[in-house]
């Protein structure tokens, strides 16, 4: 959960986009399955990051989420 909003962090794929919700000014990193970092920014509440088909690891404040984009 994000301590400031009280809502659980949501990370999911929608089309060729990774959607990150319920984060309040948190650092978000996205890695390809090969370990290369493709995104590293602070997200204020909700963000959509366009990506190619593949498997990704999203890390927010030390928590990791696996996302499959088809």
């Amino acid at each position: 959960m994000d301590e400031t909003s009280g809502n659980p962090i949501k990370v999911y794929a929608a089309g060729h986009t990774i959607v990150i919700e319920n984060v309040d000014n948190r650092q978000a990193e996205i890695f390809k399955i090969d370990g290369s970092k493709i995104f590293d920014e602070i997200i204020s509440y909700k963000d959509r990051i366009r990506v190619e088909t593949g498997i990704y690891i999203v890390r927010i404040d030390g928590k990791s989420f696996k996302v499959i984009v088809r």
Side-chain angles (χ1 to χ4, degrees), residues 17-69:
T17 305
I18 294 175
V19 181
I20 303 171
E21 295 182 354
N22 299 333
V23 291
D24 189 21
N25 294 318
R26 304 283 180 185
Q27 189 72 30
E29 300 170 296
I30 300 176
F31 300 87
K32 289 183 173 182
I33 197 68
D34 67 6
S36 59
K37 186 186 293 187
I38 62 164
F39 183 86
D40 187 359
E41 292 184 19
I42 294 175
I43 297 179
S44 59
Y45 177 72
K46 180 178 180 178
D47 205 349
R48 295 175 177 267
I49 300 95
R50 185 137 178 91
V51 294
E52 299 175 2
T53 300
I55 300 171
Y56 297 88
I57 303 298
V58 178
R59 188 165 57 197
I60 302 168
D61 282 349
K63 296 178 185 172
S64 296
F65 304 84
K66 179 176 157 183
V67 181
I68 300 173
V69 177

